[in-house]
Amino acid sequence: MMDRESICEVIDAYLTSFGNSWNLQILYELYNGPKRFNELKRSLTPITQTVLSRHLKSLEDSKLITRENVDDIAYYAISKEGYLVVPSMIFTYQWLIDYHPDLRD
Protein backbone atom coordinates (compact mmCIF):
# COMPACT_ATOMS: atom_id res chain seq x y z
CA MET A 1 0.00 0.00 0.00
CA MET A 2 1.35 3.42 -0.95
CA ASP A 3 1.51 6.19 1.59
CA ARG A 4 -0.13 9.54 0.96
CA GLU A 5 3.13 11.25 -0.07
CA SER A 6 3.89 8.57 -2.66
CA ILE A 7 0.38 8.81 -4.06
CA CYS A 8 0.74 12.59 -4.37
CA GLU A 9 4.05 12.15 -6.22
CA VAL A 10 2.40 9.78 -8.71
CA ILE A 11 -0.51 12.18 -9.24
CA ASP A 12 1.91 15.06 -9.72
CA ALA A 13 3.91 13.08 -12.32
CA TYR A 14 0.69 12.19 -14.15
CA LEU A 15 -0.51 15.78 -14.24
CA THR A 16 2.90 17.00 -15.39
CA SER A 17 2.75 14.63 -18.36
CA PHE A 18 -0.96 14.77 -19.18
CA GLY A 19 -2.44 17.62 -17.21
CA ASN A 20 -3.10 19.69 -20.28
CA SER A 21 -4.95 19.10 -23.48
CA TRP A 22 -2.03 20.01 -25.78
CA ASN A 23 0.09 17.07 -24.65
CA LEU A 24 -2.78 14.67 -25.23
CA GLN A 25 -3.59 16.21 -28.60
CA ILE A 26 0.06 16.00 -29.68
CA LEU A 27 0.20 12.31 -28.72
CA TYR A 28 -3.03 11.73 -30.62
CA GLU A 29 -1.61 13.43 -33.73
CA LEU A 30 1.57 11.34 -33.58
CA TYR A 31 -0.25 8.06 -32.96
CA ASN A 32 -0.64 7.36 -36.69
CA GLY A 33 2.92 8.21 -37.61
CA PRO A 34 5.74 10.77 -37.42
CA LYS A 35 5.10 14.39 -38.33
CA ARG A 36 7.19 17.48 -38.96
CA PHE A 37 6.83 20.49 -36.68
CA ASN A 38 4.79 22.50 -39.21
CA GLU A 39 2.48 19.54 -39.88
CA LEU A 40 1.76 19.34 -36.16
CA LYS A 41 1.24 23.10 -35.93
CA ARG A 42 -1.29 23.05 -38.78
CA SER A 43 -3.23 20.14 -37.30
CA LEU A 44 -3.29 21.71 -33.82
CA THR A 45 -4.63 25.15 -34.74
CA PRO A 46 -4.77 27.52 -32.80
CA ILE A 47 -1.57 26.42 -30.99
CA THR A 48 1.29 28.91 -31.26
CA GLN A 49 4.81 27.99 -32.32
CA THR A 50 6.14 28.77 -28.83
CA VAL A 51 3.55 26.65 -27.05
CA LEU A 52 4.04 23.73 -29.45
CA SER A 53 7.82 23.89 -29.00
CA ARG A 54 7.47 23.90 -25.23
CA HIS A 55 5.10 20.91 -25.21
CA LEU A 56 7.19 18.91 -27.68
CA LYS A 57 10.24 19.47 -25.48
CA SER A 58 8.29 18.41 -22.40
CA LEU A 59 7.01 15.23 -24.07
CA GLU A 60 10.51 14.48 -25.35
CA ASP A 61 11.95 14.96 -21.85
CA SER A 62 9.27 12.59 -20.54
CA LYS A 63 10.36 10.04 -23.19
CA LEU A 64 6.82 9.91 -24.64
CA ILE A 65 7.95 11.16 -28.05
CA THR A 66 11.19 11.12 -30.00
CA ARG A 67 12.75 13.67 -32.30
CA GLU A 68 14.81 12.60 -35.28
CA ASN A 69 16.57 14.85 -37.76
CA VAL A 70 16.55 13.69 -41.38
CA ASP A 71 18.29 15.99 -43.87
CA ASP A 72 18.04 18.88 -41.40
CA ILE A 73 14.29 18.33 -40.97
CA ALA A 74 13.02 17.39 -37.51
CA TYR A 75 10.44 14.61 -37.31
CA TYR A 76 8.52 13.88 -34.14
CA ALA A 77 7.19 10.41 -33.40
CA ILE A 78 5.45 8.71 -30.53
CA SER A 79 7.87 6.52 -28.59
CA LYS A 80 7.40 2.99 -27.29
CA GLU A 81 6.56 4.50 -23.91
CA GLY A 82 4.12 6.87 -25.60
CA TYR A 83 2.30 3.97 -27.24
CA LEU A 84 1.84 2.46 -23.78
CA VAL A 85 -0.15 5.57 -22.81
CA VAL A 86 -2.71 5.19 -25.61
CA PRO A 87 -4.93 2.62 -23.81
CA SER A 88 -5.26 4.93 -20.82
CA MET A 89 -6.09 7.84 -23.16
CA ILE A 90 -8.86 5.75 -24.75
CA PHE A 91 -10.15 4.68 -21.34
CA THR A 92 -10.16 8.29 -20.10
CA TYR A 93 -11.92 9.46 -23.27
CA GLN A 94 -14.60 6.80 -22.85
CA TRP A 95 -15.03 7.69 -19.17
CA LEU A 96 -15.50 11.36 -20.07
CA ILE A 97 -18.12 10.51 -22.70
CA ASP A 98 -19.96 8.13 -20.34
CA TYR A 99 -19.98 10.43 -17.32
CA HIS A 100 -20.21 13.79 -19.04
CA PRO A 101 -22.91 13.40 -21.69
CA ASP A 102 -22.69 17.11 -22.56
CA LEU A 103 -19.34 16.31 -24.25
CA ARG A 104 -20.97 14.02 -26.80
CA ASP A 105 -21.39 15.35 -30.34
Side-chain angles (χ1 to χ4, degrees):
M1 182 93 158
M2 294 178 73
D3 61 24
R4 186 178 192 292
E5 185 175 327
S6 297
I7 291 169
C8 290
E9 288 175 13
V10 170
I11 291 170
D12 186 51
Y14 176 85
L15 291 174
T16 298
S17 296
F18 309 109
N20 63 74
S21 68
W22 287 126
N23 282 357
L24 293 174
Q25 289 180 60
I26 292 167
L27 287 172
Y28 175 79
E29 288 296 325
L30 295 175
Y31 184 69
N32 291 318
K35 288 195 166 84
R36 296 185 329 260
F37 183 90
N38 286 332
E39 289 176 302
L40 282 169
K41 187 171 180 320
R42 276 191 301 276
S43 63
L44 295 170
T45 300
I47 196 168
T48 65
Q49 186 167 333
T50 303
V51 171
L52 179 57
S53 293
R54 185 173 62 234
H55 286 283
L56 287 171
K57 179 70 173 129
S58 170
L59 288 167
E60 195 176 353
D61 290 347
S62 297
K63 308 255 187 279
L64 295 174
I65 66 168
T66 60
R67 178 179 182 219
E68 183 180 343
N69 290 319
V70 178
D71 297 327
D72 294 328
I73 298 172
Y75 286 88
Y76 295 91
I78 195 166
S79 68
K80 179 180 168 185
E81 291 83 358
Y83 275 111
L84 294 174
V85 171
V86 172
S88 90
M89 287 172 55
I90 293 168
F91 179 82
T92 302
Y93 171 82
Q94 191 58 55
W95 179 85
L96 286 167
I97 296 301
D98 291 346
Y99 291 98
H100 297 280
D102 54 315
L103 294 176
R104 293 184 193 138
D105 288 333

